[in-house]
Amino acid sequence: MVREQTVLATSHPHSYYAASANDKRVRPTLQGHVKADICIVGAGFTGMSTALHMAENGYKVVVLEGSRIGFGASGRNGGQIVNSYSRDIDFIEHHYGQKIGAEMGKMAFEGGRILRRIVKDYDIQCDLKEGGIFAACNRKQFEELVEKKKLWEAHGHEQLELLDENTIPQYVGTERYVGGLIDHSGGHFHPLNLVLGEADAVESQGGTIYENSAALRIHEGDKPIVHTEEGDVEADYVLVAGNAYLNGLLPKLESKAIPCGTQVIATEPLPESVRQRLLPKDNCVEDCNYLLDYFRLSGDGRLIYGGGVTYGAREPAKVEALIMPKMLKTFPELKGTKVDFAWTGNFLLTLSRLPQFGRIGNNIYYAQGYSGHGLTCTHLAGKVISDAIQGQSERFDIFAGLPQHSFPGGRAMQIPLTAMGAWYYNLRDKLGI
């Protein structure tokens, strides 16, 4: 049963993405009892990718979103296609063995292909552009990029090109970088328009999405039931994909990850001559620092610039005050440029910085904790989870078998200990060691 919207619905947070969204429709709120093959909690990229893969295979899909489609990190991030994981394949090989590393390596570059397939198949208008650059701030970071290229090529990814100090100015108009690595299979896009387009694709395949329908509790059993304030969904399977916005829905997961905030600004539209100087080939860029900066041009010529982390998802008093100095350090010529939008969004950080997949019982799945590296892995997750529910669980089990450590010191010490670690690595970046 569905009711008409009679009250003001939760809106997307104020951002460039929300202001330029292609689809501003409000989906209905769940009321009453419905049945489905799978109930998905969370209408971000993990939820939408899973919903679409399941719906394409004939399953009856119901998605519950506590706010709006793409309300969380999926609709507020930097919009960059970055391959692999927050911890790269060599870390996985070293800590979990060559076999696990090889299997994770096979999947490390699949998410971007899935994303592009969805955009193409459903003609999603999201300003998709090609090419992503890792920028080295010092020689140590450049040497690490040389090793990254070797590592990724050893796992079959060959769309890479090193940029030395003479060639990187052809891609990025700044003196900050001593070199870089361009991944020609990387790229960038309008993330909210992508997740909204994916929602439309889910609906075109028969799926149903309810907004302003927060999951309050899950009754486990042979047919788990997800309860909202005004209704419930009975399903064969449940996927919990709320990431940093679960609000205690699965308490047993809370000690395993912490929410973190990142800040983003969007300038006024820049003249073509300025855009050509800043990013002449229209690639996206992220630097190699632990607390990294990332930036790109929007479809209408704005510079979108992000960086920094607030642990515990605290809202900074003034986002521009945090990001403007970073932007001007990279592009001093933008001094005096107007900032039209500034916003923040939460992602979920795990202790290992690897994503956490798992099952509760046989029929409640979860996926979370992409640790700031989620745009490709969330799309991979949808395919992997869909395959697992359909009986092909080998790849899901690789992820689910990774250790999921709790942060030391319990919830009271999660944030200060993590912030101390970030301070240490940030100092190393500044010293180039």
Side-chain angles (χ1 to χ4, degrees), residues 123-141:
D123 191 27
I124 298 174
Q125 302 302 307
C126 60
D127 299 326
L128 179 59
K129 303 176 185 179
E130 303 301 325
I133 295 171
F134 301 98
C137 300
N138 52 56
R139 296 305 305 177
K140 175 178 176 288
Q141 291 180 357

Side-chain angles (χ1 to χ4, degrees), residues 21 45 173 263 292 305:
F45 285 134
Q263 296 79 47
L292 56 85
Y305 202 107

Side-chain angles (χ1 to χ4, degrees), residues 203-216:
E203 291 167 334
S204 76
Q205 294 293 326
T208 304
I209 302 170
Y210 297 101
E211 292 183 307
N212 296 289
S213 302
L216 303 178

Side-chain angles (χ1 to χ4, degrees), residues 79-99:
Q80 299 197 14
I81 299 172
V82 181
N83 284 304
S84 193
Y85 316 99
S86 187
R87 290 289 195 185
D88 216 338
I89 306 165
D90 55 346
F91 175 93
I92 298 169
E93 290 175 332
H94 177 74
H95 286 83
Y96 309 119
Q98 289 289 329
K99 181 178 179 181

Side-chain angles (χ1 to χ4, degrees), residues 52-53 56 113-124 197 201 204-205:
L52 185 56
H53 282 95
E56 287 175 334
R113 295 194 295 271
I114 292 171
L115 186 156
R116 286 183 171 88
R117 191 276 293 180
I118 293 171
V119 169
K120 181 176 182 294
D121 286 357
Y122 294 96
D123 191 27
I124 298 174
S204 76
Q205 294 293 326

Side-chain angles (χ1 to χ4, degrees), residues 79-209:
Q80 299 197 14
I81 299 172
V82 181
N83 284 304
S84 193
Y85 316 99
S86 187
R87 290 289 195 185
D88 216 338
I89 306 165
D90 55 346
F91 175 93
I92 298 169
E93 290 175 332
H94 177 74
H95 286 83
Y96 309 119
Q98 289 289 329
K99 181 178 179 181
I100 298 298
E103 293 302 317
M104 295 283 285
K106 291 177 185 177
M107 295 184 278
F109 310 100
E110 186 178 344
R113 295 194 295 271
I114 292 171
L115 186 156
R116 286 183 171 88
R117 191 276 293 180
I118 293 171
V119 169
K120 181 176 182 294
D121 286 357
Y122 294 96
D123 191 27
I124 298 174
Q125 302 302 307
C126 60
D127 299 326
L128 179 59
K129 303 176 185 179
E130 303 301 325
I133 295 171
F134 301 98
C137 300
N138 52 56
R139 296 305 305 177
K140 175 178 176 288
Q141 291 180 357
F142 183 74
E143 291 166 3
E144 291 170 348
L145 289 178
V146 173
E147 294 305 311
K148 178 189 283 287
K149 183 173 184 288
K150 293 177 182 177
L151 174 69
W152 284 12
E153 288 176 342
H155 287 273
H157 189 63
E158 299 182 344
Q159 296 171 276
L160 304 167
E161 179 184 353
L162 281 170
L163 307 173
D164 62 21
E165 60 187 2
N166 297 315
T167 54
I168 196 166
Q170 300 172 24
Y171 293 82
V172 193
T174 180
E175 297 179 356
R176 282 194 70 183
Y177 306 129
V178 303
L181 177 68
I182 183 167
D183 182 356
H184 293 288
S185 74
H188 57 105
F189 58 90
H190 188 303
L192 183 55
N193 278 337
L194 176 58
V195 72
L196 289 169
E198 291 174 342
D200 190 57
V202 169
E203 291 167 334
S204 76
Q205 294 293 326
T208 304
I209 302 170

Side-chain angles (χ1 to χ4, degrees), residues 383-404:
K383 171 65 172 164
V384 169
I385 294 165
S386 173
D387 287 347
I389 290 173
Q390 295 175 75
Q392 299 174 336
S393 64
E394 295 84 2
R395 301 203 304 168
F396 180 89
D397 291 338
I398 292 292
F399 279 100
L402 297 174
Q404 298 180 11

